[in-house]
Amino acid sequence: MTLLGLSAAARKRAAALVVALLATVATWNVLLNTLFARSGLASSMQLAYDLILPLTSAGATGGLLLVTVALVVVLAALARTVAPDVDALGGGEAPAETALTYGRAVAVAFAGTLAAGLGLALFVVPGLVVLVHLPLVFVAVATDGVSIRAAVAQAASLARGERARIAAICLAVVTIPLALAVIATLTALVPPVAELALGVVVTTAAAASGVVAFTALADSLGGTTTGTTRNRVAPSSSRQL
């Protein structure tokens, strides 16, 4: 499945979601700058931000949490838009089922990121294992309507023999924005506002490309392992987390 294989309506919806993702990433970055400035971390690291919001540290923290949830929801909606036989707004689903799907996606994103961070910090290898499987788990809960437990089992099955390929996509998605951030931090040639704008655009492009790539990869691996296209499960079979 590629963007070229989508209907005109789906392509328009995907484009609108990418714009929403751009706005969400920009808001997230400004809120993070605000938190750093209000908490004193910016001054301790000798950093100065031109764009900050009139919020307290608590307000910036709360805003970051809300915007992070919105960011995950937009990414899940994008995965549902580019996946076959799925609709971002839950066409053919009960509203409660669609809400549950997005709730699972948020839970997977938060728990998976925390588990990957702890794994990398403490043992390295477990963190890498989580990072390899996390995108496929996220795509599974977002597009297939399965429980988190079933998504983990499905991701483990799909990733078997494909971990190098998955890791390569993960590295591309993560290292490009990270490298840009490091370069921008170490040089004074780029004005702060331009640095922020460039970072937002690159991060948005990497995140959107990663979602499309992993959704297409999961679809191709599902077709390879089962011989059929990946279909949504019945709502009655996916009530558990």
Side-chain angles (χ1 to χ4, degrees):
M1 172 61 64
T2 64
L3 290 177
L4 295 177
L6 298 176
S7 65
R11 286 197 296 270
K12 289 180 180 179
R13 190 177 299 123
L17 286 169
V18 171
V19 173
L21 181 61
L22 182 72
T24 307
V25 171
T27 304
W28 193 93
N29 276 273
V30 173
L31 283 168
L32 184 63
N33 290 353
T34 302
L35 178 60
F36 278 12
R38 300 302 186 215
S39 64
L41 287 174
S43 59
S44 65
M45 294 186 295
Q46 298 182 341
L47 297 175
Y49 298 112
D50 288 349
L51 292 178
I52 59 174
L53 299 175
L55 297 173
T56 62
S57 295
T61 301
L64 269 175
L65 180 61
L66 291 175
V67 174
T68 301
V69 171
L71 181 64
V72 175
V73 169
V74 172
L75 291 175
L78 182 59
R80 289 168 65 88
T81 298
V82 300
D85 305 321
V86 189
D87 182 76
L89 300 179
E93 290 179 339
E97 183 67 17
T98 303
L100 179 59
T101 295
Y102 282 109
R104 287 172 179 154
V106 171
V108 165
F110 275 80
T113 302
L114 178 61
L118 289 175
L120 289 172
L122 298 176
F123 304 107
V124 181
V125 173
L128 293 176
V129 172
V130 173
L131 283 177
V132 168
H133 291 84
L134 180 58
L136 293 180
V137 175
F138 182 81
V139 169
V141 297
T143 65
D144 290 343
V146 296
S147 67
I148 295 176
R149 181 178 299 179
V152 171
Q154 178 177 309
S157 176
L158 294 179
R160 194 170 295 120
E162 298 288 343
R163 289 182 175 86
R165 185 177 171 190
I166 297 169
I169 300 175
C170 287
L171 284 174
V173 171
V174 173
T175 57
I176 292 175
L178 184 60
L180 178 65
V182 171
I183 292 172
T185 302
L186 296 178
T187 181
L189 298 177
V190 181
V193 175
E195 174 190 329
L196 175 64
L198 182 59
V200 166
V201 171
V202 173
T203 301
T204 300
S209 299
V211 167
V212 173
F214 280 115
T215 304
L217 177 62
D219 182 52
S220 66
L221 293 177
T224 299
T225 56
T226 65
T228 59
T229 57
R230 299 162 70 234
N231 297 316
R232 290 190 54 78
V233 298
S236 60
S237 65
S238 60
R239 293 298 180 185
Q240 69 180 60
L241 285 177

